Amino acid sequence: MKILGTGSALPKKVVTNDDLAGFLETNDEWISTRTGIRERRVLSDDTLQSLAERAGKAAMENAGVSPEDIDCVLVSTVQAETMSPALACDIQPALGLKCMGMDINGGCTGFIAALAVAEGLIASGRARKLLVLSAEALSRFADWTDRSTCVLFGDAAGGVVVGEGEGVEDIRFASEPRHAVLCAHTPPGNSPFAIDPAPAQYLKMQGQEVYRFAVSHSFRDIRDMLAAHNLAPEDVDFYALHQANMRILEAVRTRLKVDAERFPHNIERTGNTSSATIPVLLDELNRAGKLKPGCRVILSAFGAGLCTGTALIKW
Ligand code: ACO
């Protein structure tokens, strides 16, 4: 499977750390030194669907494909505007598509999970070209009264068009059940038969546990991926990690002993947009002309589950 083009879209509304300090007991210095985040984009009068449509259109244009070329749309999302229909179906009219569509919830590793599903559909002959997007609206289930979590998140959509060919060389996953470390419950509903349903709850996180898990497991996954392909850390041009926190990126980078140019980041402008961080970053690298043919990229994501996903790509 090969990546043929990239696209992304951010909401219009910019929320700076100073904006947050207007209604939370926080400040720019605390947020930026601990996370690297200076501002994030948040949905206001736009919708997640409109972001996904913009990102999808941009990816199809960048790939040079027309609507009739696309056999399937996959959208990684933790929670779209509707649980049903899938966002992957709702965006199709705006893109001129009439094909199979499904949403995938893999938490922050969702984009890599969607790539793996796309790879399987291509290998089975079910699809030849797919639009694979991530669209996330963390602003909808962050608790905006909880300064320890809401300052971290933003909204975004990004994605790729993939097709037959050589490029995505390996994709791997791992998970361990640690619900309490990072979790958001869906609303309980009103079934009269439900006994003791989990209460509706905003996203809860044990920040230091997430940090320890992310650094140790992302480093382990990258090291194992390199070893499996007989690559040294410097054989990889870019490590596109899930943009959760600048400190996590720096800790993984120093363990790998590679220079900062190989660890691109945009978290200072976007915040953590869950599974959308990696495709948005890939699109920015691609449009900046940095992803030259033949260059190697490792994707590494980590998140709720807890789970991780890693991909090795030759551009
Ligand atoms: N502004 C000011 N003070 C704050 C804020 C804030 N926004 N948030 C928390 N504090 C305070 C706390 O109340 C606490 O005060 P106290 O000492 O008086 O009790 C103090 O700062 C320290 O709080 P900690 O939670 O211990 O802060 P820590 O140094 O661990 O930093 C952080 C928190 C940045 C979240 C850190 O744990 C971290 O980076 N963890 C990684 C989590 C992450 O990246 N999650 C992303 C989502 S999950 C994912 O995408 C995989």
Side-chain angles (χ1 to χ4, degrees), residues 26 30 34 108 147-148 182 205 207-208 242 244-245 272 302-303:
T26 189
W30 195 98
R34 279 176 180 74
C108 297
R147 66 178 182 174
S148 66
L182 189 58
M205 177 186 80
Q208 292 177 10
H242 170 44
N245 185 308
N272 177 347
F302 33 82

Side-chain angles (χ1 to χ4, degrees), residues 33-97:
T33 54
R34 279 176 180 74
T35 71
I37 300 166
R38 295 196 171 275
E39 59 186 43
R40 71 286 293 141
R41 300 291 190 97
V42 175
L43 290 171
S44 52
D45 62 353
D46 32 17
T47 62
L48 189 61
Q49 181 174 334
S50 68
L51 284 192
E53 288 167 355
R54 281 168 50 206
K57 188 164 183 290
M60 286 168 62
E61 279 171 9
N62 186 247
V65 296
S66 51
E68 37 300 349
D69 296 326
I70 301 290
D71 303 311
C72 176
V73 180
L74 302 174
V75 177
S76 152
T77 186
V78 174
Q79 195 176 48
E81 268 124 8
T82 54
M83 279 187 279
S84 181
L87 184 54
C89 295
D90 272 346
I91 64 172
Q92 293 201 21
L95 300 176
L97 300 172

